[in-house]
Amino acid sequence: MANKHFRVVAMVSSSNPKAVKPVLKQAVVKGSIKEAEGEYIVEAEMEGDSPKELNRALLSALRRAEKKTRLRAEWTSDDGTTQRFFDYVLKKTTKASPPP
């Protein structure tokens, strides 16, 4: 299956933020990582099979560095479909409506 392009906006919080920062820097090649009140705000572009797989891979890598890490992420595909995750769980899918 061909890789698809996704935009992610995420909040990463952890009991040890210094441990997860190097993992975030490695994962986020195209984008930015900002620190705000002990959390990281990630805005990036990633490629993969699906938002679910990208989210799982990112959270698994973060949790290898620090087990008590939480990820709230919103993945948007090129067609405008947005999927929101809390940790590994898909919470909501929103499809873009066509312009009027």
Side-chain angles (χ1 to χ4, degrees), residues 25-94:
K25 284 186 175 183
Q26 184 178 9
V28 177
V29 178
K30 295 167 96 179
S32 67
I33 303 167
K34 298 175 187 168
E35 194 169 350
E37 299 178 22
E39 293 185 327
Y40 294 108
I41 301 168
V42 178
E43 294 183 28
E45 295 180 23
M46 296 185 175
E47 291 190 10
D49 291 336
S50 70
K52 182 179 179 180
E53 289 301 314
L54 288 167
N55 192 75
R56 183 193 58 77
L58 179 59
L59 183 55
S60 293
L62 292 168
R63 286 200 170 158
R64 278 193 292 277
E66 173 54 54
K67 187 176 179 181
K68 294 181 180 179
T69 300
R70 289 151 314 280
L71 175 65
R72 290 167 185 81
E74 186 174 285
W75 298 85
T76 305
S77 65
D78 286 339
D79 70 0
T81 302
T82 301
Q83 293 186 342
R84 291 186 181 138
F85 290 84
F86 175 72
D87 288 344
Y88 293 110
V89 181
L90 174 64
K91 291 296 187 178
K92 186 174 186 180
T93 300
T94 308

Side-chain angles (χ1 to χ4, degrees), residues 3-33:
N3 281 346
K4 298 175 186 172
H5 182 264
F6 299 95
R7 175 156 174 75
V8 62
V9 177
M11 296 285 292
V12 177
S13 56
S14 177
S15 61
N16 186 357
K18 290 181 182 179
V20 298
K21 189 170 186 177
V23 176
L24 279 174
K25 284 186 175 183
Q26 184 178 9
V28 177
V29 178
K30 295 167 96 179
S32 67
I33 303 167

